[in-house]
Amino acid sequence: MPLLHIDDTGFLLDGKPHRLLSGGLHYFRVHPDQWADRLRKARIMGLNTVETYVPWNLHQPRPGTFLMDGALDLPAFLDLAAQEGLQVLLRPGPYICGEWEGGGLPSWLLAEPDIRLRSQDPRYLAAVDDYFEHLLPPLVPYLSSVGGPVIAVQVENEFGAYSDETAHLEHLAATLRRCGVDVPLFTCDQPADLGRGALPGVLATANFGSRTTPNLAALRAHQPDGPLMCTEFWIGWFDRWGAHHVVRDAAHAAQELDELLAAGASVNFYMFHGGTNFGFTNGANDKHTYRPTVTSYDYDAPLDEAGDPTEKFTAFRDVIAKYAPVPAEPVPPRGPKLAVAGIALTDSVPLLSAVHTLGGAAVRSHRPRTMEQLGQDFGFVLYETVLPAAGPALLEVEGVRDRAQVFLDGLPVGVLERENHERALALTVPRPGALLSLLVENQGRVNYGPGIHDRKGLTGDVRLDGTVLTGWTCLPLPLTGLEGLPFARTAATPVGPTFHRGAFDVAEPADTFLHLDGWTKGNAWVNGFPLGRYWSRGPQRSLYVPAPVLRPGRNELVVLELHAAHLARTADLREYAALGPTED
């Protein structure tokens, strides 16, 4: 790949003026067998570049462990981009936001009770340096300085919205250079934060989705020379549980794009293809009220969640064609879709009776331990203790992160939700020595703002009628493998947290969408692949099933229903997504 240079006039590629036409495509939100398809469609839309974040929390799930294979094989993704002739903007963090769990910061950092993330805290810096020292050397051969596709690398992410500690950005930039990154560096911030988040000597770029002319003017006022670039051109948005599905008019977004390109600026669509927060990887926001993000990251993008072109694909391609050559290939058609109705989930096992086949070792503790203290990233923790006396009582839970189902002797007595600021529950203890159980779900760590210090599980004392309860058993339930579950055929529909299993046949695998009409809340897996969370409160009403997770012949569906299953215990695979009503 040619080498990118930056001078006072703009971007230069091999000495010639160059405009970056880029789109966000996060490899970790797309099944790896579908990377090539999405990259080909990026080129067909007229893009010459793709952008991706790098999720530290997936690549380094524990200190001393670093993963870069399978769905995390970033070098393979870069190879495929190069094969399409696409350049790459790499955004390695360490913090990425992206509506991703914890903004990409690994949960184990929060085992330190007073650590200051995104700062000069020596403990944080040591962890960041170790991360870069593992991540970057395998990527150096992919830099454009040695013929690879990576033409520029970002320093942190929207730092000005969090802090003005320039020394921290300087440390990160120096670490990138020390680890072999010799291509241009850049920062990105919303226009109002440029003064806090920019780094002297490094290209500053701006993030916005409207008011293009004044936002470019703000960038130029901050940076009088050099390229104008919108690193996150917001052409859609993300959804949260309990709200509407957010969409943006294609014609209006195309008009803003036209204005941006007419000004000579470069662009990175956020997103070109959003993908999916598979498993437990969605993030959350907390601006005085905790709001978890849904499983789908469709983002109302030019490619929808299944990788099919939307109205925006054509609208943006037509605008790009006014300013740059666009491939003569036609807009790709929608891919084939699969439908299977009435999948019967005939086998079941209650979660509370099967926890010891799912979790790690139980930890005995005087007070409840957080998920991070238990060495756990995602999923649930089951907390249990014995109550001393019977009768009516008030249960008070100091910190629920994020949703606690409460049981007495295995029977459900209520739910406490962080989102609703719930901390107390009136109950009746049936007998002395009754077992109190709290099944606490991590619904996604906060990914933006000071709330990123978001520890999960029970984060404080639990009291019964004012007395602190002690003598806890804390059992991690990460649900990373379901192989040992003792399923059995059951005629009645169980109530309460229960795993349900069924089988269905496929002649030829294709993309499809799992619909769980009549179910309440939980998670789903197909052939062991974690599709993500579902919740009847919406807006999302289906889960995307990538074709590569299916196989010809018999397939397995497992659903963890936390409350009330569909009475007939059936589910459907349908040819269409149901992402919920819009505000229109």
Side-chain angles (χ1 to χ4, degrees), residues 239-241 243 245 276 294-297 305 533-544 578-581:
D239 293 342
R240 67 172 178 85
W241 292 112
H245 173 47
T276 308
V294 304
T295 297
S296 171
Y297 203 64
E305 190 173 7
R533 309 175 203 257
Y534 67 90
W535 200 349
S536 59
R537 72 184 295 194
Q540 182 176 355
R541 299 283 183 168
S542 63
L543 291 172
Y544 173 55
L579 297 181

Side-chain angles (χ1 to χ4, degrees), residues 363-369 385 461 468-474:
V363 175
R364 295 286 298 173
S365 179
H366 186 64
R367 302 279 174 86
R369 295 195 185 183
T385 191
D461 286 331
V468 173
L469 296 175
T470 58
W472 291 88
T473 298
C474 312

Side-chain angles (χ1 to χ4, degrees), residues 448-502:
Y448 187 81
I452 58 174
H453 297 80
D454 189 13
R455 295 166 178 86
K456 297 302 187 181
L458 296 182
T459 59
D461 286 331
V462 179
R463 292 177 171 84
L464 193 69
D465 285 341
T467 300
V468 173
L469 296 175
T470 58
W472 291 88
T473 298
C474 312
L475 180 64
L477 298 172
L479 304 189
T480 52
L482 308 179
E483 297 81 5
L485 285 172
F487 282 104
R489 186 66 57 94
T490 54
T493 301
V495 177
T498 303
F499 290 94
H500 303 266
R501 183 178 67 181

Side-chain angles (χ1 to χ4, degrees), residues 78-334:
L78 298 176
D79 280 330
L80 291 170
Q83 289 171 25
E84 286 291 341
L86 293 168
Q87 305 160 148
V88 176
L89 296 175
L90 192 68
R91 305 171 77 187
Y95 164 81
I96 63 172
C97 185
E99 293 71 59
W100 189 253
E101 224 270 355
L105 299 176
S107 65
W108 46 263
L109 292 169
L110 296 173
E112 294 278 356
D114 58 348
I115 194 169
R116 293 179 296 111
L117 304 177
R118 302 180 72 188
S119 79
Q120 291 295 91
D121 186 321
R123 296 163 296 181
Y124 179 69
L125 292 183
V128 169
D129 289 353
D130 181 71
Y131 162 57
F132 278 156
E133 286 162 6
H134 282 86
L135 172 71
L136 295 172
L139 302 183
V140 166
Y142 293 89
L143 300 176
S144 60
S145 56
V146 289
V150 178
I151 57 170
V153 174
Q154 183 172 295
V155 182
E156 235 266 358
N157 186 68
E158 289 194 326
F159 190 68
Y162 185 82
S163 174
D164 60 358
E165 194 173 6
T166 303
H168 185 57
L169 294 180
E170 291 173 341
H171 178 94
L172 296 179
T175 304
L176 291 170
R177 292 302 192 203
R178 177 171 54 81
C179 291
V181 175
D182 59 1
V183 296
L185 302 178
F186 64 99
T187 59
C188 77
D189 287 281
Q190 296 178 45
D193 299 324
L194 286 165
R196 290 159 49 91
L199 181 60
V202 171
L203 176 69
T205 70
N207 297 345
F208 54 84
S210 61
R211 303 182 67 252
T212 294
T213 296
N215 282 323
L216 287 178
L219 177 58
R220 181 53 78 212
H222 170 80
Q223 187 170 256
D225 302 308
L228 289 171
M229 180 161 179
C230 179
T231 292
E232 291 186 13
F233 180 56
W234 300 321
I235 51 80
W237 207 246
F238 59 93
D239 293 342
R240 67 172 178 85
W241 292 112
H244 290 86
H245 173 47
V246 182
V247 298
R248 182 180 180 191
D249 179 69
H252 179 258
Q255 180 182 345
E256 292 283 352
L257 173 64
D258 202 347
E259 189 176 334
L260 190 150
L261 296 183
S266 290
V267 66
N268 177 61
F269 295 98
Y270 196 95
M271 299 287 297
F272 166 68
H273 172 51
T276 308
N277 299 314
F278 292 118
F280 298 98
T281 57
N282 64 277
N285 283 281
D286 192 349
K287 297 176 181 178
H288 309 297
T289 297
Y290 174 79
R291 304 289 194 194
T293 304
V294 304
T295 297
S296 171
Y297 203 64
D298 177 270
Y299 219 85
D300 195 31
L303 293 188
D304 67 15
E305 190 173 7
D308 291 325
T310 68
E311 183 183 359
K312 286 178 178 168
F313 188 99
T314 301
F316 293 164
R317 190 182 195 223
D318 289 345
V319 173
I320 291 170
K322 295 170 59 177
Y323 300 92
V326 169
E329 298 165 67
V331 174
R334 289 179 57 83

Side-chain angles (χ1 to χ4, degrees), residues 317-523:
R317 190 182 195 223
D318 289 345
V319 173
I320 291 170
K322 295 170 59 177
Y323 300 92
V326 169
E329 298 165 67
V331 174
R334 289 179 57 83
K337 301 294 184 293
L338 175 73
V340 181
I343 301 170
L345 283 80
T346 56
D347 301 340
S348 299
V349 56
L351 181 145
L352 293 180
S353 67
V355 290
H356 295 291
T357 68
L358 290 167
V363 175
R364 295 286 298 173
S365 179
H366 186 64
R367 302 279 174 86
R369 295 195 185 183
T370 66
M371 188 175 278
E372 294 75 22
Q373 290 171 331
L374 294 169
Q376 181 183 353
D377 299 316
F378 315 125
F380 299 76
V381 179
L382 180 65
Y383 297 92
E384 293 186 325
T385 191
V386 173
L387 301 181
L394 181 67
L395 181 73
E396 296 175 282
V397 184
E398 195 171 284
V400 175
R401 302 291 182 90
D402 302 301
R403 191 172 188 271
Q405 293 176 249
V406 184
F407 305 86
L408 286 173
D409 286 340
L411 298 177
V413 294
V415 176
L416 297 173
E417 291 192 344
R418 173 184 181 184
E419 187 167 359
N420 294 330
H421 306 281
E422 295 169 339
R423 295 185 178 182
L425 180 67
L427 47 77
T428 299
V429 182
R431 62 181 180 85
L435 182 66
L436 172 68
S437 304
L438 291 92
L439 180 66
V440 182
E441 178 185 3
N442 165 9
Q443 293 191 118
R445 290 183 179 85
V446 171
N447 55 258
Y448 187 81
I452 58 174
H453 297 80
D454 189 13
R455 295 166 178 86
K456 297 302 187 181
L458 296 182
T459 59
D461 286 331
V462 179
R463 292 177 171 84
L464 193 69
D465 285 341
T467 300
V468 173
L469 296 175
T470 58
W472 291 88
T473 298
C474 312
L475 180 64
L477 298 172
L479 304 189
T480 52
L482 308 179
E483 297 81 5
L485 285 172
F487 282 104
R489 186 66 57 94
T490 54
T493 301
V495 177
T498 303
F499 290 94
H500 303 266
R501 183 178 67 181
F504 59 96
D505 291 320
V506 169
E508 185 174 352
D511 283 348
T512 186
F513 298 89
L514 176 66
H515 289 246
L516 290 158
D517 301 350
W519 299 72
T520 306
K521 187 184 193 300
N523 295 72

